[in-house]
Amino acid sequence: MNRAYLALSAQQFPVAADYFDRVLQVDPDNLVAANNRAVCWLFTCELGRAIQSLEHVVRRDPARNLNNTLVFNLCTLYDLRSENSVRDKKYLMQLAARYGSDAFDPSVLKLPM
């Protein structure tokens, strides 16, 4: 993980993404690595890949992986893509209603009021 952070701090985003991927191969439930890998992909202009990776993490185990930071970043990525962002966020809201803990903060969904 440290090598991933070093590559990230040096703006070597593809290298950092590879290191975060290695962490996830050993520990697939490492939400920090999954989140940072998606950020790396965003900086390499792979928005779709970043979105798909975070969606996969959430769908794999929504009860565990509906993390406020991860969901906030996923919703931000939805906004950057812009198409269907409200629909996608509403789907996350449904998952949160079904699986989310009491600690889940609905404001991270960034839904218009």
Side-chain angles (χ1 to χ4, degrees):
M1 188 83 127
N2 289 337
R3 287 186 174 136
Y5 286 133
L6 286 172
L8 187 61
S9 69
Q11 297 183 1
Q12 297 173 335
F13 302 114
V15 173
D18 286 341
Y19 281 125
F20 286 125
D21 202 40
R22 291 180 192 180
V23 171
L24 290 164
Q25 289 172 8
V26 174
D27 181 8
D29 294 324
N30 189 319
L31 299 182
V32 173
N35 204 14
N36 282 309
R37 181 183 62 181
V39 170
C40 290
W41 285 336
L42 174 64
F43 280 108
T44 59
C45 299
E46 296 182 75
L47 177 61
R49 190 175 185 187
I51 289 171
Q52 289 175 349
S53 70
L54 292 183
E55 286 177 337
H56 174 75
V57 169
V58 169
R59 288 185 181 129
R60 189 177 70 241
D61 188 354
R64 183 186 183 288
N65 296 338
L66 280 166
N67 170 279
N68 287 328
T69 303
L70 189 138
V71 171
F72 179 84
N73 286 345
L74 179 55
C75 289
T76 301
L77 294 174
Y78 286 153
D79 289 339
L80 290 172
R81 183 179 62 190
S82 78
E83 62 186 54
N84 302 318
S85 69
V86 172
R87 181 198 69 200
D88 294 333
K89 291 176 186 182
K90 285 183 179 179
Y91 175 73
L92 287 176
M93 182 174 63
Q94 291 170 347
L95 284 178
R98 185 170 180 188
Y99 299 105
S101 72
D102 291 339
F104 184 80
D105 180 2
S107 71
V108 302
L109 295 168
K110 300 167 52 172
L111 282 166
M113 293 291 171

